Amino acid sequence: MSPETAPGCEPGSILVLADSLSFYGPVGGLAAHDPQIWPNRVGAALGRHVELHARIGWTSRDIWWAVTQDPRLWSDLSTADVVVLAYGGMDSLPSPLPTALREQIRYVRPASLRERVRGAYGWLQPRLSSLGWPMALPPAVTVGYYEKVRASLAHLRPELPIVVALPPTHASPYYGYAHPGRVPTSAAIERWAHEHDLAVVDFFPITSVDFTDAPETMNPDGIHWGLRTHAAIAELVAPAVAAQLPGGASEVERSG
């Protein structure tokens, strides 16, 4: 019996695993319960509670670590009716300094040296980004982590449906307005998703149009989105999520 039909039983939640694009708005980060961010817009459209696990800078590797190490995520997974994998954008960004080294900048001491190192990296990054290499994570490595996440979720909840979001684009001066890694990363994720018969939505078309036609609505960093984009992404994701929920067709009708 589905949660919708079981007497006295509340429907399960939507579990979203994501990066900062899920909770940043036009002027900065918003709280996980803010109704304006796209995951909560999806939840409101479908009458479902949303559990958002996300952090700025998260790649597919960080998501894997969260899945294996965060007991709050394990708890939320036990009551989820569907999981949305909405990350991969960070994986596809150019990273002139190998990720393992770049992530160590925060640990450099003393603070004055750390700031000089960070400043040097900030100067080099946009100038070398057009090379497109190295990337934060190569497509094959990204897909490897996606599969680890999928296999782990399937081991714990084999019946749990998954919706996969393909990475968006950016228009950021911090990356020299370059994003050559998006196409190979997106293609690899999409192939992997189809191999496992997972539902797919693509964040690229909406973000490409909004960064081009309405840049004034977006975050000035050229990476994060405005509320108009959050609304459009929610309209894209909601029907795909609804189709995976118990009672699929009726959920799709209600989301419309």
Side-chain angles (χ1 to χ4, degrees):
M1 184 174 290
S2 73
E4 286 73 21
T5 57
C9 183
E10 293 295 326
S13 63
I14 300 169
L15 176 60
V16 179
L17 306 182
D19 54 27
S20 59
L21 294 174
S22 65
F23 64 88
Y24 259 63
V27 295
L30 298 169
H33 70 286
D34 194 299
Q36 302 173 101
I37 61 177
W38 72 259
N40 293 333
R41 288 176 179 269
V42 172
L46 302 179
R48 296 284 176 135
H49 178 68
V50 172
E51 293 291 352
L52 174 62
H53 289 259
R55 187 172 176 179
I56 190 168
W58 265 9
T59 65
S60 58
R61 176 170 51 199
D62 297 295
I63 296 291
W64 165 241
W65 289 339
V67 167
T68 56
Q69 298 176 15
D70 187 348
R72 290 190 63 255
L73 196 155
W74 307 339
S75 175
D76 293 338
L77 179 63
S78 69
T79 58
D81 274 342
V82 62
V83 175
V84 181
L85 306 183
Y87 51 90
M90 280 298 301
D91 300 47
S92 69
L93 291 176
S95 182
L97 185 66
T99 302
L101 294 178
R102 174 173 52 82
E103 292 180 348
Q104 298 306 308
I105 292 176
R106 72 183 74 179
Y107 301 114
V108 173
R109 296 290 186 273
S112 59
L113 177 59
R114 181 174 66 252
E115 291 307 312
R116 289 197 296 272
V117 172
R118 183 173 287 131
Y121 180 75
W123 186 88
L124 285 171
Q125 180 171 277
R127 289 163 175 80
L128 297 179
S129 289
S130 60
L131 298 175
W133 184 91
M135 294 166 56
L137 288 178
V141 175
T142 290
V143 167
Y145 281 115
Y146 269 79
E147 175 55 18
K148 286 183 177 181
V149 169
R150 186 206 65 80
S152 180
L153 297 178
H155 176 73
L156 297 171
R157 295 280 309 279
E159 80 292 354
L160 191 64
I162 296 173
V163 176
V164 179
L166 300 182
T169 190
H170 71 83
S172 176
Y174 301 111
Y175 292 95
Y177 302 98
H179 201 180
R182 184 195 64 81
V183 171
T185 298
S186 295
I189 295 171
E190 187 169 25
R191 284 194 299 271
W192 165 82
H194 288 328
E195 288 172 2
H196 295 282
D197 198 26
L198 305 179
V200 174
V201 293
D202 191 353
F203 284 3
F204 171 73
I206 291 172
T207 55
S208 178
V209 167
D210 285 358
F211 274 123
T212 301
D213 295 347
E216 71 283 355
T217 69
M218 306 296 260
N219 190 298
D221 66 10
I223 298 172
H224 299 100
W225 311 332
L227 300 181
R228 149 178 162 158
T229 306
H230 274 275
I233 290 292
E235 290 179 2
L236 171 71
V237 174
V241 170
Q244 304 301 316
L245 291 171
S250 59
E251 294 283 359
V252 172
E253 292 172 3
R254 284 199 292 273
S255 71

